[in-house]
Amino acid sequence: MQRFQINSYHEYEKAYKDSVENPEAFWDEIASSFLWKKKWTKTLEWDFTKPEVKWFVNGKLNITENCLDRHLEERANQTALIFEPNSPNEAAQYFTYKALHSKVCQFANVLKANGIKKGDRVCIYMPMVPELTIAVLACARIGAVHSVVFGGFSSSALAARINDAQCKMLLTADGGFRGDKITPLKAIADEALQSCPSIEKTIVLKRVLSDVALKTNQVWWHDEIKKVDDNCPAVEIDAEDMLFILYTSGSTGKPKGMVHTCGGYMVYTAYTFRNVFQYRCDRTQRYGREDTRASMPDVYWCTADIGWITGHSYIVYGPLANGATTVMFEGIPSYPDYGRFWEICEKHRVNQFYTAPTAIRALAKNTVNLADNYNLKHIKTLGTVGEPINLEAWNWYNDYVGKGKCPIVDTWWQTETGGIMISSLAGVTNDKPTYATLPLPGVQPVLLDEKGNEIQGNPAEGILAIKFPWPGLARTIYGDHQRYKNVYFSAYKGKYFPGDGALRDKSGNYRITGRVDDVIIVSGHNLGTAPIEDIIDEHPLVAESAIVGFPHDIKGNALYGYVTLKDSDNSYNHDALRKEINQLISDSIGPIAKLEKIQFTDGLPKTRSGKIMRRILRKIAEKDTSNLGDTSTLLNPECVQDIMDNAL
Ligand code: WT7
């Protein structure tokens, strides 16, 4: 246990050094602090060329025993989960470890009673309510593989994910509250189910109490839980068995179902959670005075949705594996007004607060000093994730929320990495505005030049890669190991390629500079340009299209689409066409992928080999046309001026 917790810079340095010099011994010790049903026989087996990575080989465990049962002796009556509803007028709900354990076991029995067995895939398309966390853990309890699909996705995006994983069951709700709107989840799910033959049963939770009816093979959540008790032994699972599938978009093709396994993911999320946020379950000292309650757990809040990896790793698994008190919030930062986050921080006395730069920018723009109206003195650690944070947003976060006194952890990681890779450890290692700073123990980043050679020395700038495995790495893409190899392990031989560029200052701190592929991050969501272009091209009037990102005050980046019509007849109503194109995108991906601007052009700049020159289009979208570079080699240089003249 000594080892598990890093308390000083010196301990960080030592842990880092050990983790590089002797990774197996290092992770062996960290993993030993968990509850295993059977100890592993080998700590690590790996080969990045195949690629194959296995941690804690032949170890047997159940992650829910580590997240729930293990805490019952010491903290049965401690709050595990705080649920803050969308409406501030609805009461918050508090679940102790005992209560959460009971609910998870009960729902696991519901899954079993409805035919779910170890290895079956269960799709979860639910709002941010406690039953979502319960459903996720109930799957893990019996070794079923959960595939959570974010509630903002459309019916065809949902259907594609269900079909890719061949899910046997769907868990959904009548609807979900989001600010003053209701998302009709059940109606969207029903539409998806028309093309999902693998689904045998759907369980529906009543949340918004709308008037929805059940169809064949659909049952109510509240009816099912009445039929079972809460006694459900945790199934023994191999460390390398699948825990879940979570989809992330790629720069081309369909979404990738990243596969995370039980053992390594648990160890990695728990370890990084504890150390990055410096979460403590047993503070006896608080705000300079002795606390009268024997051991006070910190209250931690991550504002992400469980539909994304941040929610999986740092609302559910990481915190619960540490016996933490974790908050989940159903709503949005602007409802009923932009003070909502701070109201919640005050109400639940939040100690660690973790959110995204896009939320920070929206709050900075709209609250001015709303953060001053609430008592935020309990906050000790601030965190950010999802995209590079700009200095202005960093300063606002530091001044208005942290009051200049809270360390800010800028955490760089990905769906694929399972947990945080590069970040400061709150108050233990130094933070530096706009820098993710140092790699966590066990993480060995390198910077590469275009040719793939490692750049030695500091400062340096290049392509980020990781040269040694860590336990949280996704093991494959569901059903497509070849694609996993192509995307992550083929660009630079023997190294994991995350798709980001970075620079390193003279002290070795990393700053992530952004994507080096055709992925654009909009409001913290990864969007591949090619899949969106494919959808636009399906419009009967469209010949071809190209999408680029451009800077946006709040979203970080927004999408700018250049669209060429088959027939350049100007009598088309362009505004109506723009609406149709965005409707198409919204229907097949979701509203998050809609284009901010759509410019109709007579042609797109192309190289002689026919490749669209996105660099030029990007510059025009960014309104930075002073240096377009050499356009003379283009196939159709004349179109550039025309595009510039009509830029939006
Ligand atoms: C991509 C991964 C990890 C959970 C949320 C996103 C970007 C993420 C940072 C950061 C700069 C960041 C990267 C990465 N990103 N965190 N702190 N600084 N960029 O997960 O959807 O898998 O996206 O988000 O470009 O590759 P994801």
Side-chain angles (χ1 to χ4, degrees):
M1 215 49 194
Q2 181 95 40
R3 229 337 178 194
F4 198 84
Q5 195 167 291
I6 300 173
N7 295 299
S8 64
Y9 189 78
H10 173 73
E11 284 179 15
Y12 163 74
E13 274 189 312
K14 167 115 179 54
Y16 191 79
K17 189 162 172 276
D18 291 351
S19 78
V20 172
E21 284 171 0
N22 200 342
E24 297 198 28
F26 176 80
W27 287 112
D28 225 58
E29 203 178 327
I30 302 292
S32 298
S33 56
F34 293 87
L35 198 63
W36 294 81
K37 286 178 184 283
K38 207 189 272 159
K39 196 176 153 98
W40 54 97
T41 52
K42 196 157 186 266
T43 307
L44 170 65
E45 250 173 51
W46 72 291
D47 177 351
F48 270 179
T49 56
K50 277 186 181 165
E52 183 185 85
V53 172
K54 288 184 182 165
W55 283 94
F56 313 115
V57 183
N58 295 320
K60 308 279 179 198
L61 77 160
N62 187 294
I63 195 169
T64 71
E65 276 190 336
N66 285 277
C67 289
L68 299 168
D69 306 56
R70 178 159 80 114
H71 307 308
L72 293 183
E73 204 171 309
E74 256 188 72
R75 51 185 88 253
N77 296 317
Q78 179 202 305
T79 304
L81 182 68
I82 298 177
F83 169 62
E84 175 64 29
N86 177 62
S87 163
N89 301 324
E90 188 181 327
Q93 292 177 38
Y94 302 83
F95 297 82
T96 61
Y97 269 94
K98 195 166 150 221
L100 188 61
H101 177 265
S102 156
K103 298 251 178 214
V104 167
C105 289
Q106 181 190 45
F107 198 69
N109 283 336
V110 167
L111 294 175
K112 284 196 276 188
N114 283 280
I116 295 300
K117 292 184 297 294
K118 180 169 181 287
D120 288 342
R121 275 83 57 216
V122 174
C123 177
I124 306 181
Y125 184 63
M126 287 176 70
M128 275 288 283
V129 291
E131 288 81 358
L132 167 55
T133 301
I134 291 165
V136 161
L137 294 167
C139 288
R141 186 86 179 165
I142 60 170
V145 177
H146 55 79
S147 166
V148 183
V149 176
F150 173 59
F153 277 121
S154 68
S155 60
S156 59
L158 173 61
R161 286 159 177 76
I162 290 175
N163 290 330
D164 184 76
Q166 288 292 293
C167 295
K168 201 167 158 187
M169 179 182 271
L170 174 67
L171 307 177
T172 187
D174 54 352
F177 293 115
R178 263 182 77 77
D180 57 9
K181 297 200 185 67
I182 286 181
T183 314
L185 296 169
K186 170 71 160 60
I188 300 169
D190 280 342
E191 207 178 311
L193 288 179
Q194 292 185 350
S195 54
C196 296
S198 63
I199 296 286
E200 292 172 9
K201 196 70 135 321
T202 298
I203 303 180
V204 187
L205 176 80
K206 272 200 179 172
R207 170 57 185 144
V208 299
L209 307 181
S210 62
D211 195 16
V212 307
L214 297 183
K215 302 191 171 182
T216 348
N217 299 326
Q218 300 187 339
V219 292
W220 290 117
W221 186 294
H222 58 265
D223 285 338
E224 293 308 294
I225 56 175
K226 282 185 211 135
K227 300 178 191 165
V228 297
D229 63 20
D230 65 354
N231 188 353
C232 178
V235 171
E236 183 172 295
I237 314 283
D238 190 273
E240 282 298 330
D241 277 345
M242 267 192 276
L243 174 62
F244 65 86
I245 302 170
L246 186 63
Y247 288 85
T248 185
S249 29
S251 50
T252 56
K254 58 180 191 172
K256 300 169 286 190
M258 304 313 307
V259 172
H260 283 283
T261 56
C262 294
Y265 176 81
M266 171 183 77
V267 170
Y268 196 69
T269 53
Y271 178 72
T272 51
F273 171 76
R274 173 83 69 97
N275 290 305
V276 170
F277 299 101
Q278 289 291 301
Y279 184 92
R280 297 291 180 266
C281 274
D282 49 1
R283 279 189 209 273
T284 48
Q285 281 281 328
R286 218 167 256 255
Y287 323 116
R289 64 193 142 80
E290 196 79 19
D291 207 296
T292 46
R293 283 161 290 189
S295 104
M296 281 283 293
D298 287 342
V299 175
Y300 161 90
W301 179 24
C302 164
T303 69
D305 192 291
I306 293 176
W308 310 112
I309 191 70
T310 312
H312 281 61
S313 303
Y314 298 112
I315 296 178
V316 182
Y317 289 113
L320 296 178
N322 276 281
T325 299
T326 177
V327 178
M328 73 185 280
F329 174 45
E330 183 182 29
I332 53 175
S334 56
Y335 180 80
D337 62 39
Y338 276 96
R340 188 67 194 281
F341 273 9
W342 319 129
E343 188 231 349
I344 297 172
C345 285
E346 176 181 293
K347 177 173 170 186
H348 297 299
R349 304 179 174 202
V350 169
N351 301 116
Q352 288 91 7
F353 178 74
Y354 190 29
T355 196
T358 183
I360 296 168
R361 287 189 296 263
L363 292 163
K365 190 164 172 186
N366 290 290
T367 61
V368 190
N369 51 12
L370 257 183
D372 288 343
N373 295 351
Y374 295 92
N375 185 348
L376 302 179
K377 72 165 188 204
H378 299 92
I379 298 181
K380 288 188 291 242
T381 300
L382 295 174
T384 144
V385 61
E387 60 185 305
I389 183 166
N390 49 308
L391 188 59
E392 209 184 337
W394 195 98
N395 283 333
W396 185 84
Y397 203 30
N398 185 45
D399 296 346
Y400 285 91
V401 188
K403 318 287 180 202
K405 287 189 280 201
C406 301
I408 297 180
V409 293
D410 178 351
T411 63
W412 175 81
W413 59 295
Q414 312 179 291
T415 306
E416 296 84 341
T417 67
I420 298 168
M421 301 288 281
I422 303 182
S423 171
S424 51
L425 310 181
V428 166
T429 66
N430 287 330
D431 50 38
K432 174 172 176 178
T434 77
Y435 279 71
T437 73
L438 300 175
L440 263 59
V443 176
Q444 301 188 33
V446 288
L447 291 179
L448 307 176
D449 65 20
E450 309 274 85
K451 294 198 191 89
N453 299 317
E454 220 175 299
I455 308 171
Q456 307 287 347
N458 296 331
E461 177 162 11
I463 293 154
L464 186 61
I466 316 286
K467 68 174 181 190
F468 196 84
W470 63 100
L473 171 67
R475 304 294 195 257
T476 189
I477 291 174
Y478 190 78
D480 198 348
H481 197 67
Q482 186 59 44
R483 186 174 181 200
Y484 174 74
K485 179 174 175 166
N486 294 348
V487 176
Y488 304 107
F489 295 93
S490 302
Y492 303 98
K493 209 168 172 290
K495 296 189 180 70
Y496 170 80
F497 168 61
D500 285 304
L503 54 83
R504 199 165 53 204
D505 73 5
K506 60 180 191 322
S507 319
N509 291 303
Y510 285 86
R511 176 187 186 165
I512 312 301
T513 48
R515 301 290 310 186
V516 295
D517 56 6
D518 286 326
V519 168
I520 301 173
I521 303 186
V522 179
S523 299
H525 301 311
N526 268 9
L527 298 170
T529 51
I532 305 176
E533 289 161 3
D534 292 346
I535 290 156
I536 301 174
D537 297 351
E538 277 170 27
H539 190 287
L541 297 179
V542 171
E544 64 175 347
S545 60
I547 292 174
V548 296
F550 71 100
H552 184 281
D553 277 357
I554 292 179
K555 299 177 181 178
N557 296 296
L559 301 180
Y560 192 122
Y562 297 90
V563 176
T564 310
L565 299 176
K566 285 181 182 155
D567 180 349
S568 54
D569 177 353
N570 272 328
S571 65
Y572 291 129
N573 178 335
H574 281 180
D575 278 337
L577 264 180
R578 286 189 179 98
K579 280 210 182 96
E580 285 174 28
I581 288 171
N582 266 332
Q583 191 60 45
L584 266 180
I585 297 173
S586 190
D587 289 345
S588 47
I589 300 179
I592 47 176
K594 283 204 224 172
L595 307 184
E596 189 86 9
K597 295 181 178 176
I598 301 178
Q599 179 179 355
F600 294 99
T601 66
D602 286 341
L604 297 171
K606 291 194 182 153
T607 62
R608 290 188 188 268
S609 59
K611 206 166 176 269
I612 297 171
M613 283 288 276
R614 284 164 207 280
R615 187 178 50 78
I616 293 176
L617 295 174
R618 214 172 285 133
K619 289 243 173 200
I620 297 174
E622 288 167 1
K623 298 198 187 319
D624 168 24
T625 50
S626 55
N627 178 20
L628 283 185
D630 183 10
T631 55
S632 65
T633 59
L634 289 176
L635 193 66
N636 51 350
E638 67 290 346
C639 79
V640 175
Q641 191 57 45
D642 188 54
I643 293 175
M644 273 163 59
D645 292 345
N646 295 299
L648 300 171

